[in-house]
Amino acid sequence: MKITVISYSYSGNNEALASSIANALGAEHLRISDSKTRSRSTIFMDLIFNRTPMTNPSPESIGDSNLVLFIGPVWVGQIATPLRAYLNYFKTKSVPFAFISISGGADGGNPKLGAELKKRIGKDPLIVLDFHIADLLPKIPKPKRQDTSTYHLTESDVQFLTGEALKQLTQIMPKG
């Protein structure tokens, strides 16, 4: 089975998780990068105006795959905009896919991710794994946005999250 991991990371946390999952699965790993410098203000402008930013490499450079794992951050409850061109590209493909994210979580979960994926790709994901940095931090005091937005995953965090993802992925992966 050929698995492709397509990842984008702003802080490096999703990149660390994507690399670990790709290595564990023996998957091809396609790292998305911004064509222009990204800042918090461009993130919010993309979200407000529903923009799809230019990224590298182009989605058309993706080869055939039996399963695609999109891994990237969630910004203000939405999938990070640099992933949009790749999500749109897969509208025409019949490849099963999943979405995995490690995001802040100080304000709670992201319950609309599955619906956003279905809207953008036209079919339901096999699974959505929405991990939160807030769950990795001490519960008292309650983690705030500033705590989660500046946190960088440790190697043990990455290994823990990879293990949790693999437990769930192996249950839904297509055979073949």
Side-chain angles (χ1 to χ4, degrees):
M1 166 183 279
K2 183 175 180 203
I3 302 169
T4 302
V5 171
I6 300 172
S7 68
Y8 173 79
S9 188
Y10 180 71
S11 69
N13 287 333
N14 280 282
E15 179 60 33
L17 182 58
S19 293
S20 180
I21 291 172
N23 287 337
L25 294 172
E28 178 183 351
H29 186 184
L30 178 71
R31 293 165 180 88
I32 298 170
S33 62
D34 290 299
S35 295
K36 297 180 180 178
T37 302
R38 180 159 303 283
S39 66
R40 289 180 190 253
S41 63
T42 57
I43 288 171
F44 285 107
M45 295 303 281
D46 285 351
L47 291 170
I48 290 168
F49 293 109
N50 198 29
R51 299 188 304 206
T52 300
M54 297 293 293
T55 55
N56 295 307
S58 74
E60 292 77 19
S61 67
I62 301 167
D64 291 333
S65 196
N66 300 96
L67 174 66
V68 174
L69 304 178
F70 291 101
I71 302 178
V74 175
W75 294 335
V76 194
Q78 296 180 45
I79 296 163
T81 57
L83 285 168
R84 287 182 178 172
Y86 301 84
L87 297 173
N88 290 337
Y89 176 76
F90 276 92
K91 271 187 179 178
T92 62
K93 308 293 179 193
S94 60
V95 179
F97 73 98
F99 181 79
I100 303 168
S101 178
I102 178 69
S103 58
D107 297 328
N110 299 296
K112 297 180 181 179
L113 292 178
E116 182 182 356
L117 288 161
K118 184 169 185 171
K119 176 184 143 193
R120 294 194 182 280
I121 296 183
K123 57 188 171 267
D124 288 315
L126 293 175
I127 196 167
V128 174
L129 301 178
D130 183 24
F131 298 122
H132 299 122
I133 290 168
D135 295 333
L136 301 171
L137 299 174
K139 303 296 176 229
I140 299 172
K142 184 181 184 298
K144 296 181 175 24
R145 274 190 218 162
Q146 181 178 349
D147 303 322
T148 61
S149 67
T150 58
Y151 187 82
H152 290 283
L153 296 178
T154 65
E155 185 58 34
S156 64
D157 293 336
V158 172
Q159 292 310 310
F160 170 74
L161 294 170
T162 299
E164 291 300 305
L166 293 176
K167 279 186 223 173
Q168 296 186 53
L169 287 170
T170 55
Q171 294 178 20
I172 56 90
M173 287 173 57
K175 309 296 181 230

